[in-house]
Amino acid sequence: MQTKTQIQELLEAAGVKPNKRLGQNFLIDLNLMRLLLDSAQIGKNDIVLEIGCGTGSLTEALSEKAGQVISVEIDSTLAEITKNQLAQAENVQVLQTDALKNKNNLNPVVTGAIEKARNKFSGKLLLVANLPYSVACPVMLNLIKSEITADEMYVTIQKEVAERMTAKPDNKHYGTLSIYLAATGETKIIRVLKPKVFWPQPQVASAIVSFVRKKEKTDKIKNMELFGEIVSFLMCHRRKTLSGCVKLATGKLENNKKWLEIFESCSINPKARPEKLSPEDYIAIANMFDQYPS
Ligand code: SAM
């Protein structure tokens, strides 16, 4: 782990300053870095994915615990610093690339590295990271709904995103991310963090959050892709009534009569609004949608 002075020296030696656009706010409170690390309870057979390794402060600590660490960094100068810092650590792979291919897909370079690591390590896949704020939500969503799913996630993110992750129906923060997380696992806010624990200080508070995937929950979702499409479609019109929303459906979701029958068989009032439906309601609707004839 690196102190603020050590990070500043590494950047100065490389002739760069923190890039605000890339969310380069380094976690400099090492007690909190330790809390993030200890929360994850990483084992020697686990694969850890770190998105945004910066100068390698957390990476070094992860390498001491994990079977394999896959660290992704978009900034070529910082990726180079981490490679140099971790040159002796045989279990660290630094990928200098964007973690995402696009909003809906992780970069295949990253998923390819995970698949390769899985041939060697049979433990859990964990996301442990001080996430860059701009990609935090798509990274976590992709690790929930894609073919490669994280068993657990331990991340620092904006407090506002943490609130969205843990929000309940009818709360103003309740959204697609809240529904996905609640439908597939358990999310907890471990600690709220003041801006001063980062350098440079961000404008807003952050939080350490954990997510643990639960098989008993994911098993209930028959078709994850369809579940996702229905959640996104309905929550896009969150304040309309369900009967009003479904008139706007297109493609395979377009079938007004079928929707109304589905709501009835799930005992959901078609006058209810998407923002009031529970994650269980969304699972019931998606599972029923596949069973009902078009
Ligand atoms: N891991 C360091 C720490 O704990 O202090 C730095 C974390 S800093 C909040 C986020 C890092 O993510 C930055 O180094 C930034 O360059 C990198 N980053 C930003 N966007 C990225 C992306 N799309 N893919 C991969 N890395 C990205």
Side-chain angles (χ1 to χ4, degrees):
M1 290 190 204
Q2 299 158 356
T3 61
K4 176 179 166 187
T5 311
Q6 285 169 325
I7 295 171
Q8 286 174 330
E9 283 171 0
L10 286 167
L11 295 187
E12 212 175 292
V16 291
K17 291 199 161 90
N19 182 329
K20 206 172 168 187
R21 190 179 56 81
L22 291 177
Q24 291 177 357
N25 304 97
F26 303 90
L27 183 58
I28 50 165
D29 184 322
L30 300 187
N31 287 328
L32 292 171
M33 185 86 95
R34 177 72 52 201
L35 175 65
L36 175 69
L37 189 71
D38 290 348
S39 305
Q41 296 196 2
I42 303 164
K44 278 284 171 211
N45 210 14
D46 292 339
I47 302 164
V48 174
L49 175 63
E50 184 194 19
I51 304 291
C53 57
T55 53
S57 178
L58 175 62
T59 323
E60 185 190 344
L62 294 172
S63 77
E64 286 161 14
K65 305 258 177 193
Q68 168 96 49
V69 181
I70 299 166
S71 288
V72 188
E73 175 55 59
I74 198 167
D75 183 317
S76 56
T77 308
L78 297 195
E80 211 45 47
I81 293 175
T82 298
K83 279 184 194 167
N84 289 338
Q85 290 292 112
L86 276 296
Q88 308 300 322
E90 284 175 7
N91 63 346
V92 177
Q93 186 179 9
V94 180
L95 303 173
Q96 194 269 296
T97 188
D98 190 329
L100 294 171
K101 179 182 169 198
N102 53 44
K103 196 173 151 253
N104 294 317
N105 291 287
L106 289 172
N107 188 330
V109 174
V110 177
T111 49
I114 295 171
E115 270 163 5
K116 208 166 159 206
R118 276 197 166 150
N119 293 331
K120 209 168 155 201
F121 297 97
S122 59
K124 290 183 279 194
L125 172 65
L126 305 160
L127 173 72
V128 186
N130 173 17
L131 283 176
Y133 293 156
S134 58
V135 296
C137 289
V139 162
M140 290 188 286
L141 268 175
N142 279 307
L143 285 168
I144 292 168
K145 64 181 182 159
S146 312
E147 270 165 40
I148 294 203
T149 52
D151 297 295
E152 297 177 16
M153 305 194 221
Y154 300 87
V155 293
T156 63
I157 41 158
Q158 273 171 292
K159 181 168 166 264
E160 180 261 325
V161 178
E163 284 163 355
R164 272 161 49 198
M165 289 170 75
T166 49
K168 301 277 182 279
D170 210 15
N171 179 292
K172 68 173 178 177
H173 296 293
Y174 187 61
T176 313
L177 187 61
S178 343
I179 297 170
Y180 263 111
L181 291 168
T184 57
E186 270 172 21
T187 310
K188 279 190 198 136
I189 296 181
I190 298 176
R191 183 79 63 90
V192 173
L193 311 179
K194 292 191 175 132
K196 69 174 184 193
V197 305
F198 297 94
W199 174 79
Q201 288 190 28
Q203 303 283 331
V204 293
S206 303
I208 298 179
V209 178
S210 68
F211 167 80
V212 178
R213 196 175 176 89
K214 297 280 175 194
K215 191 174 178 310
E216 63 272 24
K217 285 193 172 189
T218 54
D219 280 354
K220 287 186 187 153
I221 305 172
K222 290 192 185 138
N223 180 337
M224 185 63 85
E225 200 183 323
L226 180 65
F227 168 75
E229 274 178 50
I230 291 176
V231 171
S232 302
F233 163 62
L234 291 176
M235 284 303 280
C236 207
H237 310 285
R238 54 186 296 152
R239 293 206 173 85
K240 285 193 179 1
T241 60
L242 290 170
S243 52
C245 286
V246 297
K247 288 185 192 140
L248 304 171
T250 54
K252 74 170 172 207
L253 298 187
E254 184 181 352
N255 189 333
N256 203 25
K257 184 168 172 285
K258 173 167 160 170
W259 275 112
L260 297 178
E261 285 171 14
I262 290 169
F263 293 143
E264 195 183 343
S265 59
C266 294
S267 307
I268 292 171
N269 183 347
K271 296 277 164 243
R273 299 177 198 280
E275 63 187 2
K276 300 212 182 220
L277 298 189
S278 67
E280 293 73 27
D281 289 333
Y282 279 102
I283 295 174
I285 293 171
N287 288 348
M288 201 61 90
F289 195 91
D290 245 358
Q291 281 172 27
Y292 256 77
S294 292

